[in-house]
Amino acid sequence: MTNKSFTTEAEELGKLRDEIDSIDQQIQHLINQRAGCAQKVAEVKEHFSSPGESVVFYRPEREAQVLRRVMERNEGPLPAEGVARLFREIMSQCLALEKPMNIAYLGPEGTFTQQAALKHFGHAVQCQSQGSIEDVFREVEADGANYGVVPVENSTEGVITHTLDSFVGSNLHICGEVALRIHHHFLLKKEESAEKPTKVYSHAQSLAQCRQWLDANWPDIERIAVSSNAEAARRAQEEEGAAAIASEAAAELYNLRIATANIEDMPDNTTRFLIIGKQTTDISGDDKTSLLIASKNKPGALYHLLAPFHEEGVSLTRIETRPSKSGTWNYMFFIDLEGHQNEEKVAKAMALVQQQCTDFKCLGSYPKAVL
């Protein structure tokens, strides 16, 4: 039974489109109004800054709070995360009016680290590709970039030791984190070829994350590890008989086709990335703290280091062990815990731990990943 209030399809669609156009106009007006407020924020910060003082425009804790509120008040039909992503881009454009930011990331262009940088900061930043994790740290330390983005752990393959080791001699802080679902694709040239690929390029971790799929579908193909998945895509484009395992972004960048999508062995394959910079971050209300602790090799050393956290009710989310450069059989512990270093129970536990270790370094307190 049809609704008698309807006239014709064209007339009804016309009414709805006029309504959409009116709403779009209101949205655009409000976005520009928000941008005007952002410019005023910049003016206030500059006015009240001391002579020679570096003005901080980007506040990770503030952005995390805004995005959390966006998700909490969302009423649909759009999903909360989708709406938060829209606000992420609005905030990115507004921040660029205050001060455009340069972000160093582990390159080359088309890597998952670049995707993580854009997911965290939005598309209004300038991304600077770096050849290694150490180069990302150096670029931020030398003020060549405002912040850096580096991978720290993968849910399938574990911790990235180069990132942990880079913190040992660095004064940079962790300012944030971002989690990125990793989808690997089997890429070939767009032009059809009768010849099957004889070799596949990818990063060593990506090859490991797709081992079962390769064993089942391409058991005889030569697997060649390269510096990045973007480099793998570049080689697949240039060389005959070559395939690549890389991201959709790399496929678009190097004009390759996705022969088979989502070939990762673990469907929930996720990589965690850290945002590094020179500033410290205030309490956001849902934070993590990362520590670097060194202890001598003696019975019960780890127990005594961890006991204060238990006593103060501080939850530890990760512990990684690395050899210390200070002596044979001495070790460093990288610890992630829930809470901010300025919260009372966290501060008390950290003070007790410092009494038990030979070296203690707080790498930073920062908001948990929102998106």
Side-chain angles (χ1 to χ4, degrees), residues 27 32 56 194 222 234 266 278 327:
I27 291 173
N32 282 320
V56 177
E222 183 183 5
R234 184 190 69 79
M266 302 295 291
K278 291 187 173 182

Side-chain angles (χ1 to χ4, degrees), residues 20 28 203 250 261 286 355:
I20 288 173
Q28 186 173 350
H203 189 275
D286 190 13
Q355 299 173 13

Side-chain angles (χ1 to χ4, degrees), residues 178-194:
V178 56
L180 187 69
R181 285 289 297 273
I182 303 298
H183 294 298
H184 294 304
H185 310 305
F186 192 71
L187 308 182
L188 297 171
K189 292 184 178 66
K190 284 194 172 180
E191 57 272 17
E192 295 289 342
S193 174

Side-chain angles (χ1 to χ4, degrees), residues 37-305:
C37 285
Q39 289 179 313
K40 292 177 182 177
V41 167
E43 292 171 2
V44 170
K45 287 182 177 181
E46 290 175 340
H47 176 76
F48 286 97
S49 64
S50 302
E53 179 187 1
S54 180
V55 181
V56 177
F57 294 98
Y58 172 64
R59 301 300 313 187
E61 70 281 2
R62 164 66 178 164
E63 295 207 350
Q65 290 167 347
V66 171
L67 291 175
R68 288 177 197 144
R69 285 199 292 267
V70 167
M71 297 177 75
E72 289 169 0
R73 66 172 177 252
N74 184 58
E75 298 178 347
L78 291 175
E81 185 171 329
V83 176
R85 288 183 184 276
L86 291 174
F87 270 81
R88 165 70 278 168
E89 291 300 328
I90 292 172
M91 293 161 66
S92 180
Q93 294 292 337
C94 290
L95 183 60
L97 291 175
E98 296 183 51
K99 181 183 179 181
M101 289 200 302
N102 296 315
I103 310 300
Y105 70 94
L106 177 62
E109 188 178 2
T111 59
F112 288 115
T113 312
Q114 184 184 25
Q115 289 185 41
L118 295 174
K119 180 181 180 182
H120 185 81
F121 289 101
H123 286 71
V125 297
Q126 296 293 322
C127 290
Q128 303 176 2
S129 170
Q130 304 296 320
S132 68
I133 289 171
E134 292 83 359
D135 289 341
V136 175
F137 274 78
R138 279 194 290 267
E139 191 70 8
V140 179
E141 288 168 348
D143 293 323
N146 300 104
Y147 299 93
V149 181
V150 291
V152 68
E153 63 176 312
N154 176 264
S155 60
T156 302
E157 294 301 307
V159 71
I160 289 86
T161 56
H162 288 331
T163 296
L164 297 186
D165 292 343
S166 294
F167 279 111
V168 176
S170 175
N171 292 320
L172 296 181
H173 301 283
I174 302 173
C175 305
E177 66 171 2
V178 56
L180 187 69
R181 285 289 297 273
I182 303 298
H183 294 298
H184 294 304
H185 310 305
F186 192 71
L187 308 182
L188 297 171
K189 292 184 178 66
K190 284 194 172 180
E191 57 272 17
E192 295 289 342
S193 174
E195 294 184 6
K196 292 183 178 180
T198 59
K199 55 188 173 183
V200 58
Y201 290 107
S202 196
H203 189 275
Q205 281 214 345
S206 299
L207 290 171
Q209 292 165 19
C210 302
R211 184 184 300 113
Q212 294 177 23
W213 185 89
L214 287 171
D215 289 344
N217 294 274
W218 297 92
D220 299 324
I221 198 169
E222 183 183 5
R223 306 171 193 186
I224 305 173
V226 292
S227 59
S228 71
N229 290 346
E231 171 64 13
R234 184 190 69 79
R235 294 197 183 194
Q237 176 56 244
E238 294 182 354
E239 298 180 18
E240 291 298 322
I245 295 174
S247 66
E248 182 179 357
E252 293 176 359
L253 182 63
Y254 293 98
N255 198 33
L256 297 170
R257 63 184 173 91
I258 298 177
T260 308
N262 300 341
I263 65 171
E264 60 274 5
D265 297 330
M266 302 295 291
D268 59 348
N269 184 23
T270 302
T271 295
R272 177 181 171 224
F273 299 83
L274 297 178
I275 313 302
I276 56 174
K278 291 187 173 182
Q279 76 185 76
T280 56
T281 304
D282 291 335
I283 296 174
S284 77
D286 190 13
D287 301 291
K288 281 184 180 179
T289 296
S290 295
L291 306 176
L292 172 59
I293 301 172
S295 173
K296 292 183 179 180
N297 182 29
K298 62 180 182 179
L302 183 57
Y303 169 81
H304 291 294
L305 284 178

